[in-house]
Amino acid sequence: MIQTETPKERQQEICVDGQVDFVTGALPNPNFEKKLNYVANRIHNAVRPVVFTKDKHYKNYLETLEGQNLPFPHCIEGTPGFEIVKELLHACTKTPIIVEKETFGYTDWKEIFGLAEDIDEFVIYGTVNPICPFAQAVIMRACYPNKKVTMDFAGCGFMADENGDETKCREAVKYILKMQQIDVINEDK
């Protein structure tokens, strides 16, 4: 299949969980922190308002299913770690759309975009893959089965092994995304 580049005015950028707790806070991802300039540049060059998802938890986080499986309180509503990194917000040239989610992926996209008749492609990046950006890409595929969904690896923070190597995670995510007919760009960045 021949891929053509989507005009920027028909691309919808989605920055997943660019929050303080995932950059320098409770669950820091140094791989994503290194990519903040790239992500800020993507946001700055977006034609449409950028959507930011925010991971949202409460003080009872450790009592939830996620908290029992990932026992690190993070993105607790009302804390500094819940906020989007200022560098990313300041990169916006239009008022962003901010959505909050209590699990890995936001599901109410049709309330925001309806049938997305003026969108040809959703471009997703953020942190931490393979969790929230991955979940978001699969949800977008389900919500908009005839729209192009693309993940930009250059703007993603991935989980790494004990040596800081994210290769296995990147390869697994890439394989499954491609099986879901989700495009991956900048695979080696």
Side-chain angles (χ1 to χ4, degrees):
M1 173 167 47
I2 297 173
Q3 295 288 333
T4 58
E5 189 166 326
T6 304
K8 284 200 171 287
E9 65 272 7
R10 298 198 54 90
Q11 286 182 338
Q12 178 60 59
E13 306 265 332
I14 301 173
C15 180
V16 177
D17 299 356
Q19 292 164 270
V20 172
D21 267 354
F22 292 127
V23 178
T24 57
L27 282 174
N29 185 302
N31 294 323
F32 185 66
E33 186 176 14
K34 293 174 193 171
K35 297 178 176 187
L36 283 179
N37 286 337
Y38 176 85
V39 173
N41 189 52
R42 269 206 82 106
I43 290 168
H44 181 76
N45 290 316
V47 173
R48 304 169 64 87
V50 173
V51 175
F52 288 93
T53 67
K54 287 178 75 173
D55 201 29
K56 178 180 179 180
H57 300 294
Y58 304 97
K59 292 178 183 175
N60 72 334
Y61 173 76
L62 291 174
E63 299 167 21
T64 67
L65 179 65
E66 180 180 330
Q68 292 168 18
N69 288 293
L70 181 65
F72 300 95
H74 62 281
C75 300
I76 305 298
E77 183 181 37
T79 66
F82 176 66
E83 300 307 319
I84 296 169
V85 174
K86 290 190 185 328
E87 180 180 348
L88 300 180
L89 281 177
H90 291 162
C92 294
T93 59
K94 295 179 177 52
T95 302
I97 300 167
I98 300 174
V99 298
E100 298 176 350
K101 58 189 185 54
E102 295 178 10
T103 188
F104 304 131
Y106 182 74
T107 58
D108 294 327
W109 292 109
K110 298 235 175 179
E111 290 180 17
I112 297 172
F113 300 123
L115 297 176
E117 293 170 332
D118 61 341
I119 298 170
D120 291 333
E121 179 180 18
F122 294 96
V123 181
I124 300 168
Y125 41 86
T127 196
V128 173
N129 244 333
I131 305 172
C132 295
F134 176 84
Q136 202 56 78
V138 173
I139 290 169
M140 295 310 289
R141 168 57 58 236
C143 288
Y144 298 102
N146 293 308
K147 300 289 182 178
K148 185 175 179 182
V149 178
T150 301
M151 184 169 293
D152 183 356
F153 272 24
C156 289
F158 290 85
M159 295 178 80
D161 64 18
E162 59 279 352
N163 299 316
D165 185 1
E166 56 182 38
T167 304
K168 287 180 184 175
C169 182
R170 291 172 72 91
E171 290 302 313
V173 169
K174 180 172 68 174
Y175 176 77
I176 297 170
L177 287 175
K178 288 184 176 188
M179 292 295 105
Q180 297 286 327
Q181 299 176 0
I182 295 168
D183 293 340
V184 175
I185 59 172
N186 299 313
E187 296 178 22
D188 300 322
K189 295 181 182 180

